[in-house]
Amino acid sequence: MFTDAKWIWTEREDKNQYVEIRAEFTLNGDISCARLIVSADNEYFAYINGAPAGGGQYDDFPMRKAYNVHDVAALVKPGRNELLVRAYHQGENSFQYIAG
């Protein structure tokens, strides 16, 4: 399922870091099904075309990554679309997070 997935982050990793990542994508014609699958290190909230698409906050361990699946078919449209993800990275070990 995740053979084409890639981890997206800034080149510099700091403790207690917030980032905002934007991407544009184009859809040719109408669609009936669209899912956004996200894994974040530690929290995120996603928007498609300015509308809330979903978020997640969870414990994070390198050996047991979690992910969320959001149904976004109602948010995408034919033509140009924008995905915006705001994410938080804790960056230091705690009882609910192991860096890695």
Side-chain angles (χ1 to χ4, degrees), residues 1-64:
M1 176 170 157
F2 297 109
T3 55
D4 293 327
K6 64 181 177 176
W7 196 257
I8 301 169
W9 201 253
T10 65
E11 291 181 17
R12 185 175 139 203
E13 287 189 26
D14 291 326
K15 295 176 185 174
N16 295 316
Q17 182 180 21
Y18 291 87
V19 299
E20 187 172 278
I21 298 166
R22 293 175 189 269
E24 290 186 1
F25 60 97
T26 302
L27 295 177
N28 297 321
D30 291 325
I31 60 163
S32 60
C33 177
R35 296 180 300 176
L36 175 65
I37 302 172
V38 182
S39 179
D41 187 4
N42 303 96
E43 303 173 28
Y44 75 93
F45 203 88
Y47 302 84
I48 293 185
N49 298 322
Q57 174 184 8
Y58 41 79
D59 301 341
D60 194 67
F61 301 101
M63 65 294 234
R64 188 177 158 266

